[in-house]
Amino acid sequence: MDFLASLLAAPATLAALLLLATALTAALALYALKYRQGLRLRDRLAAANTEIGQLQARDALTGLLTRTEFELALELAVQRSDEKQTPLAVLCIGLDGFRGVNDSLGHEAGDQVLRVMADRLDVACGQRALARIAGDEFVLLCDGDLDPARHLAVQLLELLARPMTLGSQELALTGSIGIASYPCHGPGAQLFPAACLAMATAKAAGGGAFATFAPAMAVDHRDQMALRNDLRLAVQARQLELVYQPKLDAASLQITGAEALLRWNHPTRGVVSPTVFIPVAERHGLIPSIGNWVIEEACRQAAQWRENGLRMRVAVNLSAYQVRQDDLVDRIDAALARHRIAPSRFTCEITESVAMEDTQVTQRTFERLRQSGVHVSIDDFGTGYSSLASLRRLPAEELKIDRAFVSDLHSSADARAIAMAIVQMAHS
C-alpha cells in the first residue's frame, strides 16, 4: 500500500493517469457521437427505402399502381374471395386510337392524354385498385359479380369518351373494356389475362364498347397471333398479290384506270381477305412494310402496262397509319421516279374518315401530295364524317360515293337523291 501511495503521489504518474482518463473520455464521447450518427443514418436509410418502395409501387407518369403492385392486390383479393365466398371482377381498359395521338401530335401530347384519362378513371373508381399496365392500358379490380362490373364499364366508357382540350385543339377518344370474373372464368392467375383478351376482342370489333370474357376468345387470340407471325413473313415469301379492279367511264364504258386490291395467298389458309389481315397488320405495326410493297408493286405494274401500250391511272389505298408518316410522299415520289410513272397517273385513295382528320401531319401529307401532282381520291364518301369546310382544303380530285348509297340505286329513291346531291356538290 505504501508503494502504491508513493507511486500515485509521483507527478509523472499522476499526469499519465490524467492523460489516460482524458483519452478514455474522448473515446467514449466519439463512440457516442458515432452511435447517434449511425442511428440517424439507419433511420434515413429506412425512410429512403420506404420512399423507394412507394415510388416503385406507383407509375411515374400517372401516379397509379404499377402492374406488379396490381398483381399483388389481385392475389390478396382472390384469397379474400375464397374465404368469404364472394366473387370479384377485373376490368382491362384500353384507349382506342391512342397511337394516332403520338404519331400526329407527339409523345408529349400523348403523355398529357394518359394523365387526363388516368385522373378520370381514378376519380370514378374510388378506393378500388387501379393500375396502368402498359402504354395506353389500365386495369381495375372490383368486388362483385359480372352485373355491377358491366354497369361500371358503361360508366367508364362514357367518361373516357368525353372530349378534352390539348392546347388549342379538342380531342375525343373512346375506350375498349374487357371483363373477367372470379371464380366463373377460371382460377385467379387467369383472371388478368382473360380480361385483357376480352378487351382486345372489344377493340377488334371497333372499340367504344366492353366485352365479357368467353373461352372462345382464347382460341381466337391464338389464331390472331399465328396470323400475325405468318403475316410478318408474307412480303419476303412473295405471298402478297395485287389484283386490279377496272374503273370505267359511265358514258363511254371505256376503262380509264384500275384500283389495286391487296390479297394474301396463304400457304394453308388459301386467299385471306384484307378485311381479316389489314386490322392485324395495323395493330402490330406491319403496315409500313406492306404499304411500301403495295406502292412499289402498283408502280411496277403500271410501267409494264405502259410498255404494252396501255396507259391508264392506277390507284392504291392508303391507311390512316401511312397518311401519318412524314416520309410517305417521299416514298411515293421515289417509286414513281424508279418506274418513270407520271404523278398524274397515280391515285392515292384515302377514306373519308382519314381525310377529315384535322391533324398537322395529315394536313401536311395532303399538301405535299398536292404539290407532287399525285391524284387524290376520297373513298367511302358520304358516311357522315365530312365537313364541307374541311373538304374545300383537301387536294381531292375525285369522290367515291360510299357503297351504301350505290348498291340500291335502282330501288331506293333516297339513295338516288343522296348520290345526285353528292355529284352536284362535287362538281360545284
Side-chain angles (χ1 to χ4, degrees):
M1 292 294 296
D2 292 339
F3 173 77
L4 182 60
S6 62
L7 184 62
L8 291 176
T13 303
L14 185 59
L17 290 175
L18 289 174
L19 182 60
L20 179 60
T22 302
L24 288 173
T25 303
L28 290 173
L30 181 61
Y31 175 80
L33 177 62
K34 293 294 184 182
Y35 181 76
R36 289 194 298 270
Q37 289 179 340
L39 290 177
R40 287 197 295 269
L41 183 61
R42 186 188 63 185
D43 293 341
R44 290 177 183 174
L45 183 59
N49 287 332
T50 300
E51 185 176 355
I52 290 172
Q54 291 173 346
L55 289 174
Q56 289 176 338
R58 294 288 167 174
D59 175 62
L61 179 64
T62 63
L64 301 180
L65 294 175
T66 62
R67 176 172 181 160
T68 300
E69 288 299 313
F70 178 83
E71 290 175 341
L72 291 175
L74 176 59
E75 185 178 344
L76 293 175
V78 169
Q79 293 176 5
R80 289 195 302 269
S81 176
D82 291 338
E83 293 170 359
K84 298 180 180 180
Q85 294 297 299
T86 55
L88 59 91
V90 167
L91 281 69
C92 187
I93 307 160
L95 302 182
D96 302 326
F98 178 73
R99 176 183 291 180
V101 177
N102 278 336
D103 291 343
S104 58
L105 300 179
H107 289 276
E108 185 175 344
D111 289 347
Q112 185 177 345
V113 169
L114 290 175
R115 284 191 289 266
V116 170
M117 293 302 196
D119 289 343
R120 290 180 181 181
L121 293 172
D122 197 24
V123 171
C125 294
Q127 299 301 314
R128 301 180 182 96
L130 174 67
R132 179 182 174 221
I133 58 171
D136 62 342
E137 294 180 3
F138 306 86
V139 64
L140 170 66
L141 177 63
C142 58
D143 296 326
D145 56 19
L146 288 174
D147 287 339
R150 289 167 177 154
H151 180 70
L152 178 59
V154 172
Q155 293 178 326
L156 295 180
L157 289 173
E158 293 175 352
L159 195 64
L160 294 174
R162 291 178 184 174
M164 68 181 72
T165 301
L166 295 179
S168 61
Q169 186 169 0
E170 187 173 77
L171 177 69
L173 296 177
T174 57
S176 297
I177 298 179
I179 305 172
S181 178
Y182 179 79
C184 70
H185 289 144
Q190 295 181 9
L191 197 59
F192 182 25
C196 291
L197 277 177
M199 185 270 290
T201 301
K203 192 180 287 285
F210 71 85
T212 304
F213 175 76
M217 291 179 182
V219 177
D220 181 67
H221 179 70
R222 289 193 293 270
D223 185 65
Q224 290 284 307
M225 295 295 288
L227 202 64
R228 181 198 68 182
N229 293 335
D230 291 346
L231 189 55
R232 290 186 186 278
L233 305 174
V235 174
Q236 292 85 351
R238 300 182 182 274
Q239 296 172 5
L240 297 182
E241 176 188 13
L242 291 183
V243 297
Y244 294 89
Q245 177 174 286
K247 294 185 176 183
L248 278 72
D249 181 274
S252 65
L253 297 183
Q254 296 296 311
I255 296 177
T256 60
E259 179 182 355
L261 303 176
L262 182 62
R263 297 293 183 266
W264 180 15
N265 297 309
H266 193 278
T268 58
R269 299 171 186 260
V271 178
V272 182
S273 169
T275 59
V276 173
F277 70 82
I278 289 298
V280 176
E282 290 178 335
R283 194 155 53 243
H284 298 288
L286 303 177
I287 281 295
S289 60
I290 294 175
N292 291 343
W293 181 87
V294 169
I295 293 170
E296 187 70 26
E297 176 63 16
C299 289
R300 186 201 64 78
Q301 181 62 71
Q304 183 176 331
W305 284 334
R306 183 191 61 228
E307 297 300 321
N308 295 333
L310 185 61
R311 296 179 64 84
M312 62 180 181
R313 182 179 290 113
V314 64
V316 300
N317 293 279
L318 299 180
S319 70
Y321 185 89
Q322 287 175 283
V323 172
R324 298 188 193 108
Q325 290 180 300
D326 287 330
D327 64 341
L328 171 68
V329 181
D330 292 334
R331 286 185 281 107
I332 292 175
D333 288 343
L336 293 174
R338 273 192 298 274
H339 297 281
R340 295 184 291 113
I341 305 295
S344 60
R345 313 297 294 182
F346 191 81
T347 297
C348 293
E349 294 196 1
I350 304 164
T351 62
E352 183 188 32
S353 58
V354 175
M356 292 302 117
E357 285 189 1
D358 190 21
T359 65
Q360 293 181 356
V361 175
T362 302
Q363 293 301 321
R364 186 163 59 246
T365 298
F366 287 147
E367 182 57 33
R368 292 192 61 196
L369 286 171
R370 184 204 305 274
Q371 294 172 357
S372 70
V374 169
H375 193 87
V376 176
S377 172
I378 306 299
D379 201 359
D380 299 337
F381 190 83
T383 51
Y385 296 95
S386 294
S387 159
L388 296 184
S390 299
L391 185 62
R392 290 180 59 193
R393 297 197 300 268
L394 295 176
E397 299 175 78
E398 177 183 297
L399 298 182
K400 293 178 66 177
I401 301 174
D402 186 74
R403 65 187 304 165
F405 304 119
V406 178
S407 59
D408 57 350
L409 279 177
H410 64 288
S411 60
S412 172
D414 289 341
R416 289 194 295 273
I418 292 173
M420 182 63 69
I422 293 175
V423 170
Q424 291 175 345
M425 180 191 68
H427 285 299
S428 298

